[in-house]
């Protein structure tokens, strides 16, 4: 083969590889977790208010995470928001909120919710604004959290309009936990939709707060979700995304 032919073949090969690389970059939305995104479950999720035509937001959580028995840090906790509709979402917001023994410490790329703006009963939270989520696409956020194995723990993922006035979808508050605590092991596996049974001192058969699969905390019908317009506006002014709901307690 002549040197000219070899040069042309190398040029064609390089061009093909460059085209493939560009095409791959265009397929994945910026910041999204791709191949290593774990499979998730939308258990405990419910449509709250009608989203714009063709837009169907949904969230998922991993079915299993672990907690380090020494540090209390969780591993494998990922919050994923998807648009299973046929049209782009436009600006929306995902919130990640912790309850009871589950405390959200950080969600990279998201804004902490001020303590005085947290929903009733929650202990921590972050808002994650998205400029757009294309039809059929999803974006995952790695959640740094701690879990107090002496308590039950829940997490909630609402998806809102950018101004925080409308909640399109809400998953939870849904529990993570185990019915077989293992305080002497390095880590304890926690399962989604399982009420945690705290470890008790040797010989003490009491103290548990759940047995087996716990009843999923009700996401509630749309009329029980009260939008906080003022809170949404305050968070928007602070550079975050609006918060979604005040839970009405039943007595």
């Amino acid at each position: 083969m002549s040197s000219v032919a070899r040069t042309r073949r190398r040029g064609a090969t390089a061009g093909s590889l460059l085209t493939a690389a560009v095409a791959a970059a265009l397929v994945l939305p910026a910041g999204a977790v791709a191949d290593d995104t774990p499979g998730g479950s939308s258990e405990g999720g419910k449509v709250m208010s009608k989203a714009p035509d063709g837009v169907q937001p949904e969230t998922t959580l991993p079915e299993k995470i672990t907690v380090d028995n020494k540090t209390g840090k969780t591993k494998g906790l990922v919050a994923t928001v998807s648009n299973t509709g046929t049209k782009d979402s436009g600006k929306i917001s995902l919130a990640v909120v912790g309850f009871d023994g589950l405390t959200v410490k950080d969600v990279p790329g998201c804004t902490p919710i001020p303590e005085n703006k947290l929903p009733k009963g929650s202990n921590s939270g972050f808002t994650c604004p998205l400029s757009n989520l294309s039809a059929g696409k999803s974006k995952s956020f790695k959640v740094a959290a701690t879990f107090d194995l002496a308590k039950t723990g829940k997490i909630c993922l609402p998806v809102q309009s950018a101004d925080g006035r409308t909640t399109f979808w809400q998953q939870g508050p849904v529990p993570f936990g185990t019915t077989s605590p293992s305080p002497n092991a390095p880590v304890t596996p926690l399962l989604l939709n399982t009420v945690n049974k705290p470890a008790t001192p040797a010989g003490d058969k009491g103290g548990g707060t759940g047995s087996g699969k716990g009843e999923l905390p009700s996401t509630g019908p749309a009329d029980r979700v009260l939008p906080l317009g003022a809170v949404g506006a305050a968070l928007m002014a602070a550079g975050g995304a609006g918060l979604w709901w005040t839970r009405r307690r039943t007595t």
Side-chain angles (χ1 to χ4, degrees):
M1 181 183 296
S2 67
S3 59
V4 174
R6 284 195 296 270
T7 301
R8 287 177 177 173
R9 174 173 291 185
R10 284 196 298 269
T13 301
S16 299
L17 292 174
L18 177 60
T19 300
V22 171
L26 292 175
V27 168
L28 299 177
V33 179
D35 295 339
D36 59 344
T37 302
S41 170
S42 60
E43 191 164 12
K46 183 177 180 180
V47 174
M48 305 307 296
S49 296
K50 189 178 185 303
D53 288 343
V55 179
Q56 295 181 14
E58 183 178 301
T59 60
T60 56
L61 288 162
E63 295 183 353
K64 178 181 177 180
I65 63 173
T66 60
V67 57
D68 187 298
N69 288 340
K70 289 185 178 180
T71 65
K73 294 180 179 179
T74 63
K75 184 177 181 181
L77 184 51
V78 177
T80 300
V81 56
S82 306
N83 177 11
T84 60
T86 58
K87 295 183 179 179
D88 290 1
S89 70
K91 292 182 179 180
I92 57 174
S93 174
L94 169 72
V96 182
V97 182
F99 291 81
D100 304 326
L102 193 157
T103 303
V104 181
K105 296 294 187 179
D106 188 30
V107 184
C110 303
T111 304
I113 300 172
E115 185 175 353
N116 63 341
K117 304 297 184 182
L118 287 169
K120 184 179 293 186
S122 65
N123 58 44
S124 54
F126 285 74
T127 55
C128 309
L130 292 90
S131 58
N132 183 59
L133 193 59
S134 300
K137 298 297 182 180
S138 63
K139 185 168 183 178
S140 296
F141 296 87
K142 294 182 178 180
V143 180
T146 58
F147 196 101
D148 184 347
L149 289 168
K151 302 177 181 179
T152 59
K154 305 181 188 74
I155 191 169
C156 189
L157 304 180
V159 181
Q160 294 184 290
S161 57
D163 61 8
R165 295 180 181 274
T166 305
T167 302
F168 303 127
W169 166 275
Q170 184 172 304
Q171 184 175 9
V174 60
F176 272 103
T178 178
T179 58
S180 302
S182 50
N184 297 323
V187 298
T188 296
L190 301 179
L191 301 178
L192 183 65
N193 193 24
T194 300
V195 175
N196 189 52
K197 181 178 181 180
T200 55
D204 183 0
K205 297 182 180 179
T209 60
S211 58
K213 284 272 186 175
E215 186 171 303
L216 187 69
S218 175
T219 299
D223 63 0
R224 289 177 63 102
V225 177
L226 307 180
L228 292 180
V231 174
L235 288 176
M236 289 291 286
L243 187 55
W244 74 107
W245 107 96
T246 295
R247 196 170 46 171
R248 184 183 302 165
R249 286 192 175 185
T250 57
T251 56

